[in-house]
Amino acid sequence: MGYENELGAIPPVGFWDPLGLSKGIDEAKFLQYRTAELKHGRVAMAAVTGYVVAEYVRWPGYISPIDGIKFSDVPNGIGAFTAIPLLGWVQLILLVGWLETILKQEEGESYPGSFGTGYFSEFGRVGKLSGEKKAEKLTKELQNGRLAMLAIIELLTHDVAKPAGESVLTLHHF
């Protein structure tokens, strides 16, 4: 079965599958891959937004009152991995695990990535749209998610390659 006409296939690239992951798979497997792509894209969009916002805004107070670590003491990006205490990471992992089990189920015969959260059905968003307009919005979400996945990888790579203490927004490359 070919997937060249699926959502997200836009000119000039069309349906892009350089590793051939869609060759020889059934529709259920393709929908599983598409759902994973949407989830990763949504997480990446949130990560990029959080990364940029954290360059300018920090929560007041302490991330770990026992250790005396303030939110403002936690560096942005890769540096946060070693600055956040172990119990903080345990809380994050438990939260993500809980969200993954709650949001895991998709809404019946709906489009991939519709996890029953109401986001795309409330306030006149995609859930109430139909036809070309809905396909256009869903394709934009796919494309924005793909771009965000590349963006967060670049931001984290820049963390490793940049001089210590320099903002990610410093334009030293030009």
Side-chain angles (χ1 to χ4, degrees):
M1 176 176 197
Y3 300 103
E4 290 76 24
N5 296 322
E6 290 292 327
L7 287 174
I10 61 172
V13 178
F15 183 74
W16 193 63
D17 184 17
L19 299 179
L21 297 176
S22 65
K23 287 185 176 42
I25 62 171
D26 60 1
E27 187 175 354
K29 189 58 134 176
F30 178 78
L31 291 176
Q32 179 185 359
Y33 288 165
R34 178 53 53 92
T35 301
E37 179 183 18
L38 282 164
K39 284 173 110 176
H40 286 97
R42 290 171 181 171
V43 169
M45 286 187 273
V48 169
T49 303
Y51 192 103
V52 173
V53 168
E55 285 284 327
Y56 299 105
V57 179
R58 297 296 174 128
W59 291 105
Y62 290 86
I63 190 170
S64 177
I66 295 171
D67 298 326
I69 302 172
K70 295 180 180 182
F71 283 105
S72 59
D73 296 336
V74 178
N76 204 9
I78 295 286
F81 286 108
T82 57
I84 297 176
L86 177 63
L87 288 178
W89 283 112
V90 169
Q91 290 174 13
L92 286 170
I93 291 168
L94 289 174
L95 174 66
V96 170
W98 179 75
L99 289 172
E100 186 68 22
T101 57
I102 297 300
L103 300 178
K104 182 178 178 183
Q105 302 300 318
E106 291 189 35
E107 294 177 332
E109 296 294 319
S110 189
Y111 54 90
S114 177
F115 298 105
T117 60
Y119 177 79
F120 289 107
S121 59
E122 301 295 324
F123 311 115
R125 290 198 170 98
V126 174
K128 293 184 180 178
L129 298 175
S130 62
E132 280 188 37
K133 197 70 171 164
K134 183 174 186 175
E136 176 190 347
K137 297 282 186 187
L138 293 172
T139 297
K140 286 180 180 179
E141 180 188 18
L142 270 171
Q143 296 299 326
N144 289 336
R146 291 168 181 169
L147 181 60
M149 287 186 267
L150 292 172
I152 194 63
I153 293 296
E154 191 285 325
L155 289 169
L156 295 175
T157 301
H158 190 266
D159 272 353
V160 175
K162 74 178 181 173
E166 180 183 287
S167 169
V168 72
L169 301 176
T170 303
L171 297 176
H172 62 81
H173 298 293
F174 301 103

